[in-house]
Amino acid sequence: MSRPAGSCASDDFSAEGTKRTTLAKAMSDKKLFFTSLIMLVLLITFDTIAKVSSFYYFYPNADIVMHLLGGLSITALAISLLKYMKLGTTSNIFVVIFFVSILWEYIEFTIGKNVFINRSFWIDTGIDLLMNAVGGIIAYICFHKIQWKKNLQR
């Protein structure tokens, strides 16, 4: 069977390979989305249980870990959603981290975690925002390291 001029067997392979790569990438993005969503739901569940059972009263530093993990999972979720919407630039990801962190602190305040605004409130808020940012940066670095390794393997 003859082929049209300018085509070869490798052209068919590369087109098929591209389809496989696109499918693998879509599955990877779905995995990231659902993993981060499940992690976020578990964190919210644990946070609610911890507040109801006064866990944070007995272990106040547990809040720091929750904000680190929350920043990590929210950033992973934001990366997957922004990539899906083709808006996954670095600046967009960091804007989402910033606004979600501020929203999170506002919700904590309105729920009543911090009833009195005093010096410890501002220190707690600053540490919480810092830990959200650290978790977000860790997620961002991990995501780009995985993408970098995938690009090297091609």
Side-chain angles (χ1 to χ4, degrees), residues 44-58 111:
I44 291 170
T45 303
F46 179 74
D47 186 55
T48 304
I49 292 169
K51 285 177 181 167
V52 170
S53 67
S54 300
F55 182 78
Y56 293 135
Y57 178 77
F58 296 108
I111 288 175

Side-chain angles (χ1 to χ4, degrees), residues 8 17 29 43 48 50 54 58 69 73 77 80 88-89 91 94 124 126 132 138 144-145:
C8 63
D29 291 345
L43 282 169
T48 304
S54 300
F58 296 108
L69 295 174
S73 62
L77 187 63
S80 65
T89 65
S91 58
F94 284 110
D124 178 62
N132 288 341
I138 290 170
H144 277 287
K145 194 171 189 177

Side-chain angles (χ1 to χ4, degrees), residues 15-130:
E16 189 174 302
T18 303
K19 289 177 187 173
R20 285 186 192 150
T21 305
T22 306
L23 180 61
K25 185 178 179 215
M27 293 306 289
S28 174
D29 291 345
K30 281 184 181 181
K31 255 186 356 186
L32 176 65
F33 174 78
F34 285 113
T35 302
S36 57
L37 187 63
I38 289 168
M39 187 174 167
L40 190 60
V41 168
L42 289 173
L43 282 169
I44 291 170
T45 303
F46 179 74
D47 186 55
T48 304
I49 292 169
K51 285 177 181 167
V52 170
S53 67
S54 300
F55 182 78
Y56 293 135
Y57 178 77
F58 296 108
Y59 304 100
N61 291 333
D63 181 54
I64 294 170
V65 175
M66 290 296 289
H67 279 276
L68 178 73
L69 295 174
L72 193 127
S73 62
I74 288 169
T75 301
L77 187 63
I79 287 170
S80 65
L81 289 174
L82 289 171
K83 278 185 66 182
Y84 177 75
M85 295 185 297
K86 308 234 187 298
L87 298 171
T89 65
T90 302
S91 58
N92 286 350
I93 291 167
F94 284 110
V95 165
V96 168
I97 294 168
F98 175 76
F99 281 111
V100 169
S101 296
I102 298 295
L103 178 66
W104 187 341
E105 284 304 305
Y106 176 76
I107 291 169
E108 276 189 357
F109 176 74
T110 56
I111 288 175
K113 176 183 176 221
N114 300 307
V115 178
F116 302 104
I117 298 180
N118 56 24
R119 187 172 183 207
S120 67
F121 167 78
W122 295 112
I123 292 170
D124 178 62
T125 300
I127 291 171
D128 289 350
L129 290 172
L130 177 67

